[in-house]
Amino acid sequence: MATQSVSPVLQPATIGHLELKNRIVMAPMTRSRADDAGVPPDYAADYYAQRANAGLIITEATNISAQARGYPRTPGIWTDEQVVAWKQITDAVHRREGKIFLQLWHTGRMSHPDMHDGALPVAPSAIRPQGQIRVHDGMKDFVTPRALDADEIPGIVEDYRRAAANAKRAGFDGVEIHSANNYLLEQFVRDSTNHRTDEYGGSIENRLRFPLAVVKAVIDVWGSERVGIRISPVTTSPGETPVDSDTMSTFGAYLSALSELGLLYIHDIEGVTQVSRETGSEVSFSELRKRFNGAYIANNQYTLSLAEKTLASGDADLFSIGRPFIANPDLVDRLRAGAPLAEAPKEYWYGGDSTGYSDWPDMRR
Ligand SMILES: Cc1cc2nc3c(=O)[nH]c(=O)nc-3n(C[C@H](O)[C@H](O)[C@H](O)COP(=O)(O)O)c2cc1C
């Protein structure tokens, strides 16, 4: 039988000290199956283990504290019960020789009083997002969040530190700091959402102060070689959030500072997540990438052939794939075989139970 050559994207790769089976990363995807205490269900262990053929799995975004919550049925990592449930998931992935990082999340203004017993969500500044957010009983208008007092901010850094330590207890291989998609950290980074006049706002240095304090706290727990970060310099949803007035300078400075801290990788959503790979005229991801010495995970609408082209041109090290992993647990095997991909109806994306989540068959079953 003729042997086909294996795509370089599907061959083993090493980033930092992390040895991966291939260059495909399962992108973080919120699936809203946790209970109201933020505990993932038993069947989440099946879901993640079924996808352990990815070189690396990044979990769904996971709240670092009760204050961090923005959406119903999203998991957390601040209680012992949550840690125990995550440990079952990491054990299941490790039994299949997979690697799994936890994505650490604080939604900031992308939240609603319904998630906080009537209290306002917190943000760098009291600026209301446009549109609506999903709450327990449907969609509601966003509200104007409460601007954090400067003396509350060190406490949130400590919440990240505790979440990172809990992730370690839960057996993860590392953590990814969610600094993308207009959630709390990116709300501080962009001047469109940060109008503060204290040491956390104004200059780029000031806007980066809180996100970098978070990164340092997480590194204290894990060491820089086990910490990655996700960014999305031009993504505008949720909340129709405007981009920064000078994306290249702001994110260039951010990536230089992250590079100095020795982070394992940046995970970049190229374009508007799920929507378009257009970056806006003045934004160049290959230019931004030059500011960072670690590995680069590219994301957004990647196919195997686009990943192959991008790897060959040296523009990325790993490629994260989101939506195709929903209905194709054995995605890497299918890519290797050139097999057709199943598509998941959107009704299964968020909420529900194991149906449309951990019951998608492998192609050989
Ligand atoms: C159902 C769903 C949930 C998502 N949840 C998250 C999340 O929790 N954290 C995150 O950083 N991105 C999240 N994303 C964005 C994906 O990680 C990814 O950026 C996006 O789907 C584009 O990649 P793709 O074209 O390969 O699907 C989500 C996307 C989808 C479809």
Side-chain angles (χ1 to χ4, degrees):
M1 199 171 85
T3 50
Q4 269 189 327
S5 66
V6 177
S7 162
V9 171
L10 304 178
Q11 290 175 23
T14 302
I15 60 161
H17 299 296
L18 208 59
E19 289 178 17
L20 307 178
K21 289 189 235 188
N22 53 64
R23 293 178 186 271
I24 299 290
V25 176
M26 178 178 160
M29 280 186 292
T30 293
R31 303 298 306 279
S32 307
R33 262 91 172 164
D35 67 17
D36 286 341
V39 178
D42 290 345
Y43 55 81
D46 300 331
Y47 166 76
Y48 281 111
Q50 287 158 2
R51 287 154 182 79
N53 61 5
L56 177 63
I57 294 171
I58 315 293
T59 68
E60 63 210 272
T62 300
N63 301 301
I64 58 152
S65 63
Q67 183 200 60
R69 290 171 301 166
Y71 303 88
R73 299 192 61 189
T74 51
I77 189 76
W78 75 91
T79 70
D80 286 342
E81 204 190 348
Q82 293 162 351
V83 171
V84 168
W86 279 117
K87 181 75 169 63
Q88 286 175 10
I89 293 169
T90 61
D91 284 347
V93 169
H94 291 150
R95 277 195 294 276
R96 299 275 303 266
E97 294 175 1
K99 297 227 158 65
I100 181 165
F101 275 34
L102 181 74
Q103 192 184 49
L104 297 173
W105 197 25
H106 190 311
T107 59
R109 71 180 195 143
M110 298 304 167
S111 184
H112 190 276
D114 283 11
M115 297 301 298
H116 305 287
D117 299 325
L120 288 176
V122 299
S125 301
I127 304 170
R128 177 186 184 142
Q130 300 296 309
Q132 295 197 314
I133 183 161
R134 194 163 25 91
V135 292
H136 285 99
D137 48 355
M139 302 296 288
K140 286 196 178 166
D141 289 346
F142 277 113
V143 301
T144 304
R146 175 176 74 77
L148 284 160
D149 287 339
D151 63 9
E152 292 177 272
I153 291 176
I156 302 179
V157 174
E158 290 315 302
D159 288 343
Y160 272 96
R161 189 190 302 277
R162 179 191 54 201
N166 282 345
K168 211 168 198 183
R169 287 203 290 139
F172 283 96
D173 297 291
V175 289
E176 175 172 293
I177 297 167
H178 196 348
S179 180
N181 296 349
N182 314 140
Y183 294 114
L184 185 67
L185 297 189
E186 204 174 57
Q187 290 160 28
F188 271 85
V189 172
R190 292 186 185 187
D191 58 8
S192 61
T193 42
N194 182 344
H195 292 180
R196 299 179 74 93
T197 53
D198 62 7
E199 70 268 37
Y200 295 104
S203 65
I204 295 178
E205 190 190 3
N206 279 356
R207 282 182 277 132
L208 296 181
R209 190 179 307 282
F210 166 61
L212 291 175
V214 167
V215 172
K216 284 178 197 153
V218 174
I219 287 176
D220 281 350
V221 175
W222 276 95
S224 57
E225 73 283 359
R226 292 286 170 159
V227 180
I229 193 162
R230 194 161 213 221
I231 59 166
S232 60
V234 301
T235 285
T236 51
S237 61
E240 294 175 39
T241 306
V243 295
D244 189 81
S245 66
D246 186 351
T247 302
M248 288 303 283
S249 299
T250 296
F251 280 85
Y254 196 17
L255 293 194
S256 296
L258 294 169
S259 191
E260 264 172 47
L261 292 171
L263 279 198
L264 177 65
Y265 68 75
I266 48 168
H267 184 178
D268 192 359
I269 300 170
E270 298 171 336
V272 177
T273 181
Q274 296 181 49
V275 175
S276 154
R277 291 189 46 77
E278 293 300 313
T279 59
S281 53
E282 86 292 9
V283 178
S284 158
F285 290 119
S286 51
E287 280 307 305
L288 280 178
R289 193 195 167 190
K290 289 184 190 149
R291 307 291 287 270
F292 184 78
N293 284 328
Y296 180 92
I297 308 180
N299 171 252
N300 208 15
Q301 303 181 336
Y302 270 88
T303 57
L304 181 60
S305 69
L306 180 57
E308 284 169 345
K309 243 183 271 162
T310 310
L311 183 66
S313 61
D315 282 337
D317 302 296
L318 306 176
F319 303 89
S320 85
I321 297 186
R323 288 163 291 176
F325 262 111
I326 296 179
N328 301 280
D330 55 347
L331 180 65
V332 171
D333 296 333
R334 291 192 199 207
L335 294 177
R336 191 171 279 128
L341 300 185
E343 204 159 313
K346 271 196 179 173
E347 67 201 75
Y348 293 132
W349 286 15
Y350 303 107
D353 50 26
S354 59
T355 306
Y357 177 72
S358 52
D359 62 352
W360 293 98
D362 283 354
M363 63 177 171
R364 293 201 177 79
R365 260 200 283 134

